[in-house]
Amino acid sequence: MINFVVDKADYVELHQNLAKALSGKMSGNCFAIPENAGKGFVWAEKLPWGVTMMVSETTMREDFLFTCEVRSEYAYCLQFNDAHTDVIKKDFRNRNANPVQTSVTITDTLFPISYHFPMGTTLRSVKLFFTREHLIQLLGKPEIEHVISQYFSFLIKNKSLAPIDTGYRITLDELLMEKISHPLRLNYLQNRALLLIEKFLVKLHSKKDILFTKLKNNDDEITRLMRVEALLVKDFALTPPTISELSRISAMSPTKLKTDFKSLYGLPIYEYYQKNRMLKAKSLLMLMKYSIKEVGIMVGYSNLSHFANTFKKEFGILPSEMTSKDGMLVYGS
């Protein structure tokens, strides 16, 4: 098992140390996971306003224990983790480690915390280190003091998880690329980082009554709903699971599952599935690596015309009207 220890609230330095620990070769601000350790990439950046971010998509050949020690500088860590694994390790020795799962979490540097990534887990992750001062710049002091005292303290104290939903996935897909060659790269990254923080705060505030009630009364229930969501968006090339299958997985009745899922994610189950399906198609087209037919097949469409019409219904344009110019996405006529 690989045991990696974090002792500073700086993702740029952290990812350099991680590259050394895994014997990965740095190329600019990015390194590829060596074949003997797994596959994937990790990159990090310090943004103009001081926040550091780390973006990764990895699958490791060994169990990975990621331990964050208490650090002298006080900061918050906001993590967006999208994890998929078919491996269940019941004999893992460190019972204090948190199993990685698809969720949004916020922690701080006052308390140590460990995350366990089982071998074979595919993890797509965007992480941000920021301070109270950064939030004050974003929100203003009166608002941020209220947010920190009322919301952050509750979530951190209870080690609570929040769901990744459609709103997050749009921005996350724009970051989860090995190389971003936007002509205004730092501005592009900073804008997306701000959007993620803003969306987290807005969702936290707008859903606080629902989320906090569920967390207080039944922490396991919200975890099961997030497991359903992760399964829904795992592989769009496959037929989506039925309500009956999802009901068994979540250990909820079909009626309760549908009601609680919509309450947490804002959309009925299959409407949510379809929206994310189209967002995945859009992100694949933005890469400019695949043909429209290939993208259609990757998101489960054998009929190209049906795919094109569904895409236009969602975004107002046909897949063929998406073009790339100077690294920027534009919509052509």
Side-chain angles (χ1 to χ4, degrees):
M1 178 171 55
I2 300 171
N3 192 346
F4 184 75
V5 178
V6 179
D7 58 4
K8 289 189 177 180
D10 184 336
Y11 277 126
V12 173
E13 184 173 338
L14 185 158
H15 108 287
Q16 292 170 348
N17 293 337
L18 183 59
K20 292 178 183 177
L22 297 175
S23 299
K25 293 183 179 180
M26 294 290 297
S27 176
N29 67 333
C30 181
F31 75 89
I33 301 295
E35 288 186 11
N36 66 318
K39 62 181 180 179
F41 65 86
V42 183
W43 60 261
E45 193 72 68
K46 184 173 183 178
L47 304 178
W49 58 314
V51 169
T52 61
M53 71 185 306
M54 187 167 74
V55 176
S56 61
E57 181 169 348
T58 59
T59 307
M60 305 303 292
R61 294 184 183 275
E62 297 181 56
D63 280 14
F64 194 100
L65 187 63
F66 195 92
T67 302
C68 300
E69 295 184 338
V70 175
R71 286 137 287 178
S72 57
E73 66 275 46
Y74 188 74
Y76 298 104
C77 174
L78 183 61
Q79 299 187 52
F80 301 83
N81 291 322
D82 191 359
H84 301 285
T85 183
D86 297 323
V87 178
I88 301 175
K89 294 209 66 175
K90 298 181 179 180
D91 60 342
F92 183 62
R93 288 172 293 177
N94 192 333
R95 303 299 177 185
N96 294 319
N98 299 279
V100 65
Q101 55 188 299
T102 297
S103 63
V104 186
T105 58
I106 186 162
T107 57
D108 63 18
T109 55
L110 288 181
F111 300 98
I113 189 168
S114 295
Y115 297 96
H116 172 220
F117 305 90
M119 60 178 291
T121 297
T122 298
L123 177 66
R124 303 169 76 237
S125 181
V126 174
K127 300 181 177 68
L128 300 164
F129 266 132
F130 57 88
T131 65
R132 180 187 298 258
E133 288 67 34
H134 293 136
L135 289 180
I136 289 174
Q137 292 177 34
L138 178 63
L139 296 175
K141 191 168 184 178
E143 291 80 4
I144 195 54
E145 292 296 341
H146 178 68
V147 168
I148 291 174
S149 62
Q150 295 296 315
Y151 305 149
F152 279 23
S153 58
F154 176 88
L155 294 176
I156 292 169
K157 179 180 178 181
N158 290 277
K159 298 181 180 179
S160 302
L161 305 175
I164 288 180
D165 61 11
T166 307
Y168 286 130
R169 290 188 190 280
I170 296 172
T171 306
L172 293 174
D173 280 346
E174 293 176 339
L175 289 170
L176 281 160
M177 294 182 283
E178 185 170 0
K179 184 178 181 181
I180 295 177
S181 56
H182 194 286
L184 299 175
R185 184 174 183 277
L186 282 180
N187 286 344
Y188 177 93
L189 297 179
Q190 178 159 290
N191 174 264
R192 270 61 185 178
L194 283 169
L195 279 174
L196 288 174
I197 294 173
E198 181 183 356
K199 286 176 181 178
F200 175 73
L201 295 174
V202 169
K203 289 177 182 295
L204 181 61
H205 185 268
S206 64
K207 291 186 177 292
K208 63 181 184 300
D209 293 334
I210 296 173
L211 184 61
F212 283 20
T213 298
K214 285 185 177 295
L215 287 170
K216 287 178 180 177
N217 295 335
N218 193 346
D219 188 45
D220 178 62
E221 184 176 295
I222 196 168
T223 300
R224 284 182 279 143
L225 288 169
M226 289 191 289
R227 191 177 301 134
V228 166
E229 191 272 348
L231 183 60
L232 271 177
V233 301
K234 180 179 180 180
D235 189 348
F236 293 107
L238 303 176
T239 302
T242 65
I243 294 295
S244 295
E245 290 170 333
L246 295 175
S247 177
R248 288 195 297 271
I249 290 167
S250 64
M252 299 180 187
S253 70
T255 300
K256 179 174 176 56
L257 171 62
K258 289 187 283 187
T259 300
D260 287 2
F261 188 95
K262 184 177 180 180
S263 175
L264 190 60
Y265 288 98
L267 291 171
I269 290 175
Y270 287 123
E271 188 176 336
Y272 181 89
Y273 166 83
Q274 185 63 18
K275 190 171 188 66
N276 278 274
R277 190 185 190 188
M278 288 297 98
L279 287 170
K280 181 64 175 180
K282 183 180 178 182
S283 68
L284 289 169
L285 288 169
M286 288 173 65
L287 295 175
M288 301 300 164
K289 291 169 57 178
Y290 308 104
S291 69
I292 294 172
K293 182 178 180 179
E294 287 173 327
V295 170
I297 292 172
M298 291 166 78
V299 295
Y301 285 89
S302 57
N303 186 312
L304 188 58
S305 177
H306 186 198
F307 169 57
N309 290 335
T310 306
F311 190 92
K312 185 172 183 178
K313 183 179 179 181
E314 179 67 30
F315 299 115
I317 60 168
L318 291 168
S320 59
E321 294 176 300
M322 292 184 63
T323 59
S324 181
K325 182 179 180 182
D326 298 327
M328 299 178 67
L329 182 70
V330 298
Y331 302 107
S333 58

